[in-house]
Amino acid sequence: MTNNVETTEMITCVIDGFEVTVPKGTLVIRAAEKLGIQIPRFCDHPLLDPAGACRQCLVDIEINGRAFPKPQASCTIPVETGMIVKTQLTSPVADKAQKGIMEFLLINHPLDCPVCDKGGECPLQNQAMSNGRPESRYEGVKRTFEKPINISSQVLLDRERCVLCARCTRFSEQIAGDPFITLNERGALQQVGIYEKDPFNSYFSGNTVQICPVGALTGASYRFRARPFDLVSTPSACEHCASGCDLRTDVRRGKTLRRLAGEDASVNEEWSCDKGRWGFKYISSRERITTPLLRGTDGELHEASWPEAIAAAAAGLAGKRAAVLTGGRLTTEDAYGYSKFARISLGTNDIDFRSRGNSVEESEFLAAIVTNLSTTYRDIDKADQVALIEFDPEDESPIVFLRLYKQSRKRGLKVTTLASHSSRGSEKLGAIRINNISELSELTAKSVILVGERAHETPGLLSSVAALAQQSGAKLGWVPRRAGERGALFAGALGNLLPGGRPVTDAAARVDIQSAWGVSTLPAEAGRTTDQILRALDRSELGAVVVGGVDPMDISSEALTSMLNSFVVSLEISHSAMTAIADVVLPVATVIEKSGSYLNWEGRTRAFDRALEDSLTRSDVRILSMLADEMKRPINLPTVAATAREIESLGHWDGATVTAPTQSLAPEVIPTGNQATLESWRLLLDLGTLQQGEENLAGTARPATVVISAARAATLGVVDGNSVSVTHERGTITLPVAIGDIADEKVWVPRNSIGSQSIVTFGAGRGVLVTVVKA
Amino acid sequence: MAENSEINKREDFGLAKAESESAPITEQVAGSFFKQLQGFWVTFITMFKKVNTVQYPFEKAPTAERFHGRHQLNRHPDGLEKCIGCELCAWACPADAIYVEGGTNTPEEQYSPGERYGKVYQINYLRCVFCGLCIEACPTRALTMSNEFELADSTREKLIFEKEDLLAPLRQGMLQPPHPMYPGSTDTTYYRGEVPGSHPSQETNSHA
């Protein structure tokens, strides 16, 4: 578990006559792999605890001259000095034992291979060919079950295909911490089952489908859609959150059919969350925009040609003071395109990637602190304590959660969380919940502080976090929700930053960029934040806005109306609230249709290539480049590759940064009576734009509930499951209640779930006073 | 030695034999004249035998029982389609003539028993070589070949047969899918051939 190679004891053993030296504790099956000897297996998985469930990996073992009387499962036995192992290659006994086990496994295994999803990439199929008997001797009737049964709305189980390896149950217990499935019954009737009361609504259930060594678990959205040899696979990166998962995109006939978790030991290991795995239907949505659209004199959008649309956009932007809003979902290259477009073509620093709540304090925090952060997953692995500040890892960055869970399970990693209440995720981590950052203690240089994007909602919190990290020497990580935020920050898509973390107000930094871009001047004044831009648009201080992938409802309920009087150029993939008010709509490519890279929360580059070769859509940066050419202020970024090269040549700023914010924490207003302060965050599976159209995924979303304290519940006279109404002067949310460890004066609702969209209903995600009454 | 004779044989190229047989007919034995007469006799006697020529297209002769003709997508006795959209026919096809897209049956729209049905089914008869491998591959006997062989047409498009061109006609007692499965049945009941025909309760969705 530790990475100190010097202190690890090495052991030498002999496998099939070859000597191999491995660290103490290595399993025989793994030591054999090191020699290139493949022992067949089903239940063994390097990231799961050994189970010895399938018995397929039987080998002959002898220690110091004393042989085991029977073949042993090599996936459960660690190597020892003087051990002599004979695999199926050298021992007829082991070979016969393996063939016998294979025969047993196949007795009740149906001949579904021709129609089974796994056929063609099935370990059982492959190993039956390599290590099984060529002919079946079984003439009886195979055991059958009704098939398939829904384990959840996403995962289907064909019980007769199961070889009882327990990989799925071990995964959900050991990796995800959601032991919703288990092996029921015994003997031939043994099967994977769910608890009737507690459905398999894990955020990580898709991994069980991927690690199932037979086709017993299948994904509802991929079932019977294709066979492995139909698919064209491309390594890609996940566009959903800042975890930065390595994914594989499988395309057939121009359609994405599935995405699998890729292997990256330093990031997602072999896992991914269900959102990343199944949330790709938006790509082939009917709402996709395929041609440029222009708003005509009749007030409707009409299809237009590219030259027409670009000319109209350029004409509309000419002579106006314009700003740029980029959603947090852009690749670094695209964000760089917007950044350069704003500075050169629009001559402004009014650009902000935060299509959510934001503050000046956060801008300063990002510019001063986050651009230089280098905390990684490895630091979590080695941490003595992890403090989560307004950050719920399971909902907001699931792979960070898996890392935390792994460490908390293995070595009882201490996790402290500053949150309104203990979520399911923090309960699984055994996190200690605190109400105030001053309660954080025992932070050392080995500790890790992970601060979420919601921290800006508490004025002064980011300043305190920065100061605390400075004081204690603890490693600091900023984990935004969206995949493109860290990259956009690096690309300078922020009012006070130029690319590479260069402060706008620093003359030397500007000269750096001026010479790189070949321009004589750059605007020297720090730009507005998203909120300030919207206010300026509302007051007509700004006349135009270029918007890339922003849902105005993520920012505030007024965002859309404040843009109504301005000239709006929208670069979008699908029809949305934004395109409904835009004057020019330019269609852009989705992640599978373009190449590019993201920076995950660590600042690690997650580059990917396009999965669809013959797509006609283009990346944002290419379109901005065309627009800039039309405006006669070119940005010269014709391709994504050229953009990536330019970003690389700029490098990171090593001069002085802006000063960190030093705002002090404001005392919170304590409401009384049936009033409460609103708290919320987004659940992983909710009404997010990129999850649209995937009903199976939505089926496993956690139900929306109002979380109140036991005392408040007693006052209201409600118990778990009763409905309560949360009312603000703008609207009401009525949901079933869940009693939690939330402070008495607070109430929590999901920010963007079915029946609970706090920004739409209340106009705010946090901090407003609401009234809670029994419904 | 053996090697030498081999070479000699090869170098000869059968010339010696040819030379001996190419001698003028007068020099051949008398029996060969009767052999020629025998040949003429065959021609002559054929004039009095039954004629095999069929006056196609004015007359049509039945094909052999297992003739590989145009494909047909069969139905279960109640009218549900047998095709489950598994694409095995497309995979078996050596000419890449078959294109299948599967769809998911829903309780409201059930086209075949079980989970899946063939949503798009095309056979390109410009490519098809009538080998019958698709028929062997079909797990539900949904695809069989008929005896129809008149498949000429004037455009390429017309020779790509769609699902509606290939589907077997509705016979007595069959209902046009989509309609629900026979009451109390499962897909296994269908595959075992235990569904006798349509049931009045299945008509509910037939006109939807």
Side-chain angles (χ1 to χ4, degrees):
Chain A
M1 265 140 265
T2 52
N3 292 308
N4 299 342
V5 182
E6 315 73 71
T7 58
T8 313
E9 198 185 327
M10 301 300 274
I11 281 181
T12 303
C13 69
V14 178
I15 301 177
D16 284 346
F18 299 100
E19 261 192 18
V20 62
T21 307
V22 291
K24 191 179 178 181
T26 307
L27 299 169
V28 171
I29 198 165
R30 216 74 70 224
E33 268 171 20
K34 215 180 157 201
L35 282 172
I37 297 166
Q38 162 92 6
I39 301 171
R41 85 288 302 267
F42 297 108
C43 70
D44 172 68
H45 192 285
L47 298 174
L48 301 175
D49 291 351
C54 71
R55 316 308 292 172
Q56 186 57 51
C57 61
L58 295 177
V59 292
D60 246 359
I61 298 179
E62 183 185 316
I63 304 172
N64 297 330
R66 291 183 59 198
F68 276 97
K70 287 178 181 173
Q72 297 297 310
S74 58
C75 72
T76 54
I77 294 185
V79 287
E80 280 175 45
T81 318
M83 190 181 255
I84 296 173
V85 179
K86 286 181 176 169
T87 71
Q88 75 278 9
L89 301 176
T90 49
S91 157
V93 178
D95 189 43
K96 192 180 172 206
Q98 289 181 5
K99 288 206 159 88
I101 291 291
M102 182 66 78
E103 205 172 0
F104 280 136
L105 290 179
L106 290 177
I107 277 183
N108 278 322
H109 192 81
L111 268 176
D112 280 352
C113 302
V115 292
C116 174
D117 279 356
K118 205 82 178 181
E121 56 179 12
C122 175
L124 180 60
Q125 212 177 30
N126 294 345
Q127 291 175 151
M129 298 298 278
S130 61
N131 302 73
R133 295 171 55 91
E135 297 276 329
S136 170
R137 293 185 294 182
Y138 183 68
E139 287 170 356
V141 177
K142 289 192 185 228
R143 168 213 58 192
T144 52
F145 284 115
E146 189 200 327
K147 63 193 276 180
I149 55 171
N150 266 84
I151 280 196
S152 71
S153 69
Q154 292 163 336
V155 183
L156 300 170
L157 169 66
D158 285 285
R159 285 168 290 176
E160 51 200 25
R161 291 182 191 161
C162 179
V163 293
L164 305 172
C165 69
R167 271 189 182 186
C168 53
T169 53
R170 276 181 294 152
F171 169 84
S172 43
E173 193 186 319
Q174 297 165 10
I175 307 291
D178 298 318
F180 296 139
I181 49 174
T182 179
L183 288 171
N184 295 338
E185 310 279 349
R186 288 296 174 262
L189 289 177
Q190 194 170 22
Q191 51 183 277
V192 173
I194 47 174
Y195 300 120
E196 292 282 320
K197 275 190 262 169
D198 226 350
F200 186 46
N201 287 352
S202 171
Y203 286 159
F204 306 97
S205 61
N207 294 298
T208 61
V209 176
Q210 187 171 347
I211 59 171
C212 181
V214 295
L217 292 172
T218 46
S221 54
Y222 176 70
R223 192 173 162 88
F224 298 134
R225 298 296 192 281
R227 353 268 350 272
F229 33 83
D230 294 324
L231 302 168
V232 180
S233 306
T234 317
S236 60
C238 185
E239 74 276 24
H240 284 282
C241 81
S243 292
C245 286
D246 192 38
L247 291 183
R248 191 182 106 184
T249 303
D250 285 353
V251 173
R252 184 187 189 196
R253 295 170 184 157
K255 249 190 190 169
T256 314
L257 283 191
R258 67 170 176 182
R259 297 181 100 186
L260 296 175
E263 275 188 53
D264 190 333
S266 47
V267 181
N268 59 324
E269 300 188 304
E270 294 183 24
W271 319 121
S272 79
C273 75
D274 289 355
K275 184 153 91 168
R277 184 179 299 266
W278 284 313
F280 56 77
K281 282 278 163 67
Y282 71 94
I283 294 167
S284 46
S285 146
R286 285 205 190 124
E287 295 292 305
R288 274 300 292 276
I289 304 165
T290 49
T291 60
L293 302 170
L294 276 183
R295 195 165 296 277
T297 44
D298 57 351
E300 297 292 316
L301 284 176
H302 297 286
E303 290 192 0
S305 71
W306 274 103
E308 271 178 314
I310 295 283
L317 291 172
K320 289 200 184 78
R321 297 203 56 188
V324 179
L325 293 175
T326 74
R329 299 195 181 101
L330 298 174
T331 60
T332 311
E333 287 78 6
D334 286 343
Y336 179 79
Y338 281 99
S339 172
K340 197 172 175 184
F341 179 79
R343 268 75 192 225
I344 295 181
S345 308
L346 301 177
T348 176
N349 278 322
D350 289 340
I351 176 170
D352 199 331
F353 66 85
R354 292 169 295 179
S355 86
R356 51 177 169 85
N358 53 86
S359 68
V360 177
E361 183 197 10
E362 193 191 16
S363 304
E364 287 167 7
F365 177 79
L366 293 174
I369 313 275
V370 177
T371 48
N372 296 314
L373 290 182
S374 59
T375 309
T376 63
Y377 284 104
R378 175 104 339 135
D379 293 320
I380 297 179
D381 290 346
K382 291 189 289 192
D384 61 354
Q385 184 190 168
V386 175
L388 309 172
I389 311 294
E390 293 292 351
F391 169 54
D392 191 82
E394 203 188 18
D395 280 323
E396 297 177 310
S397 202
I399 300 304
V400 175
F401 170 80
L402 289 189
R403 277 306 171 97
L404 290 170
Y405 187 73
K406 181 180 178 184
Q407 295 307 325
S408 101
R409 183 176 166 266
K410 263 191 183 162
R411 57 186 179 92
L413 172 69
K414 182 183 169 194
V415 180
T416 317
T417 177
L418 174 69
S420 61
H421 68 286
S422 297
S423 63
R424 223 191 102 68
S426 17
E427 276 167 17
K428 284 196 272 182
L429 294 173
I432 306 156
R433 195 177 69 81
I434 53 171
N435 283 316
N436 197 305
I437 191 156
S438 55
E439 293 170 48
L440 268 182
S441 58
E442 297 166 30
L443 286 175
T444 68
K446 280 186 78 187
S447 307
V448 172
I449 304 174
L450 295 177
V451 54
E453 69 174 34
R454 284 181 290 117
H456 76 266
E457 292 169 358
T458 312
L461 184 57
L462 286 170
S463 309
S464 324
V465 168
L468 190 66
Q470 178 77 29
Q471 245 169 48
S472 60
K475 294 224 167 68
L476 183 61
W478 177 69
V479 193
R481 269 184 70 251
R482 288 187 172 167
E485 297 217 345
R486 183 79 195 256
L489 182 64
F490 182 73
L494 191 64
N496 57 354
L497 273 189
L498 290 169
R502 293 170 173 82
V504 163
T505 44
D506 190 319
R510 282 204 308 278
V511 167
D512 227 15
I513 296 291
Q514 277 165 15
S515 61
W517 286 353
V519 290
S520 50
T521 57
L522 281 175
E525 214 172 289
R528 296 175 168 95
T529 65
T530 301
D531 280 348
Q532 290 166 345
I533 287 171
L534 290 171
R535 231 170 325 184
L537 285 167
D538 199 24
R539 289 196 221 117
S540 300
E541 285 165 29
L542 291 173
V545 62
V546 177
V547 189
V550 170
D551 181 353
M553 277 307 164
D554 287 343
I555 308 170
S556 70
S557 47
E558 294 89 14
L560 199 64
T561 45
S562 55
M563 283 189 254
L564 280 177
N565 298 324
S566 327
F567 181 77
V568 181
V569 179
S570 170
L571 283 79
E572 256 296 0
I573 56 167
S574 296
H575 289 284
S576 67
M578 204 64 244
T579 58
I581 65 152
D583 296 283
V584 181
V585 179
L586 302 169
V588 292
T590 57
V591 64
I592 69 153
E593 295 150 0
K594 65 183 178 188
S595 57
S597 65
Y598 292 115
L599 292 188
N600 74 347
W601 69 270
E602 308 167 281
R604 191 192 296 265
T605 307
R606 313 301 293 160
F608 57 91
D609 225 338
R610 61 185 195 176
L612 260 190
E613 276 302 321
D614 46 3
S615 164
L616 293 173
T617 48
R618 300 165 199 203
S619 205
D620 300 44
V621 63
R622 170 84 190 104
I623 293 163
L624 289 172
S625 197
M626 291 196 295
L627 186 53
D629 286 344
E630 182 73 22
M631 294 170 78
K632 304 280 185 289
R633 289 177 186 173
I635 57 171
N636 300 321
L637 298 170
T639 61
V640 171
T643 313
R645 273 198 300 277
E646 191 171 311
I647 297 173
E648 199 174 344
S649 70
L650 282 177
H652 201 278
W653 175 243
D654 46 10
T657 55
V658 298
T659 46
T662 50
Q663 200 172 332
S664 52
L665 276 165
E668 292 199 14
V669 187
I670 309 270
T672 51
N674 59 5
Q675 286 214 315
T677 317
L678 182 74
E679 293 276 352
S680 75
W681 63 71
R682 286 182 168 85
L683 297 177
L684 183 73
L685 303 177
D686 60 7
L687 297 170
T689 319
L690 299 190
Q691 298 167 53
Q692 280 170 6
E694 184 45 279
E695 286 157 17
N696 296 327
L697 182 65
T700 60
R702 295 198 178 141
T705 50
V706 174
V707 179
I708 55 172
S709 68
R712 186 180 288 274
T715 324
L716 291 175
V718 292
V719 292
D720 265 342
N722 288 9
S723 283
V724 296
S725 291
V726 181
T727 311
H728 181 256
E729 57 202 30
R730 292 172 176 226
T732 302
I733 288 175
T734 305
L735 288 174
V737 76
I739 295 164
D741 60 353
I742 194 166
D744 288 343
E745 71 277 8
K746 287 180 178 172
V747 59
W748 183 92
V749 295
R751 194 168 287 194
N752 195 27
S753 293
I754 297 170
S756 176
Q757 290 178 282
S758 66
I759 295 179
V760 178
T761 317
F762 302 144
R766 186 185 180 280
V768 292
L769 283 185
V770 289
T771 316
V772 186
V773 290
K774 190 175 177 179
Chain B
M1 286 300 280
E3 233 171 63
N4 270 346
S5 64
E6 193 99 345
I7 289 166
N8 287 341
K9 228 188 262 173
R10 227 183 280 153
E11 280 178 350
D12 179 43
F13 298 120
L15 286 176
K17 193 169 173 240
E19 208 165 307
S20 72
E21 282 178 2
S22 66
I25 200 160
T26 46
E27 287 175 25
Q28 285 182 4
V29 285
S32 68
F33 177 69
F34 291 102
K35 274 185 184 167
Q36 287 181 46
L37 274 187
Q38 212 176 350
F40 289 130
W41 177 249
V42 171
T43 315
F44 178 74
I45 206 74
T46 307
M47 293 200 283
F48 304 100
K49 277 193 176 161
K50 201 180 159 229
V51 179
N52 272 330
T53 313
V54 179
Q55 292 304 314
Y56 183 84
F58 309 106
E59 288 168 29
K60 287 173 188 174
T63 55
E65 245 176 68
R66 290 174 173 250
F67 183 77
H68 285 188
R70 196 199 68 139
H71 299 79
Q72 174 169 293
L73 283 170
N74 299 312
R75 294 176 190 272
H76 289 289
D78 65 349
L80 283 182
E81 292 156 17
K82 284 189 174 178
C83 177
I84 52 167
C86 72
E87 304 185 29
L88 284 180
C89 47
W91 274 104
C93 184
D96 202 5
I98 309 183
Y99 175 88
V100 187
E101 256 180 53
T104 303
N105 283 317
T106 57
E108 297 80 42
E109 263 188 81
Q110 183 102 32
Y111 288 92
S112 70
E115 290 174 63
R116 302 274 290 171
Y117 73 101
K119 195 172 161 194
V120 177
Y121 199 103
Q122 297 178 339
I123 298 183
N124 183 347
Y125 281 104
L126 291 161
R127 287 184 154 219
C128 179
V129 293
F130 299 94
C131 63
L133 288 180
C134 46
I135 273 71
E136 284 181 44
C138 185
T140 59
R141 297 289 285 153
L143 193 66
T144 50
M145 279 173 144
S146 67
N147 289 5
E148 192 191 328
F149 56 86
E150 294 173 309
L151 291 163
D153 220 319
S154 51
T155 65
R156 289 171 183 274
E157 289 73 28
K158 283 184 195 162
L159 281 163
I160 298 172
F161 280 45
E162 297 283 344
K163 187 176 156 190
E164 54 271 23
D165 306 322
L166 296 166
L167 264 176
L170 289 166
R171 291 185 201 292
Q172 190 76 44
M174 288 181 174
L175 289 171
Q176 177 70 42
H179 62 71
M181 282 161 68
Y182 195 80
S185 69
T186 63
D187 43 349
T188 320
T189 329
Y190 274 88
Y191 300 142
R192 288 212 182 107
E194 289 163 6
V195 172
S198 63
H199 186 270
S201 69
Q202 290 177 282
E203 282 181 50
T204 44
N205 281 351
S206 61
H207 302 292

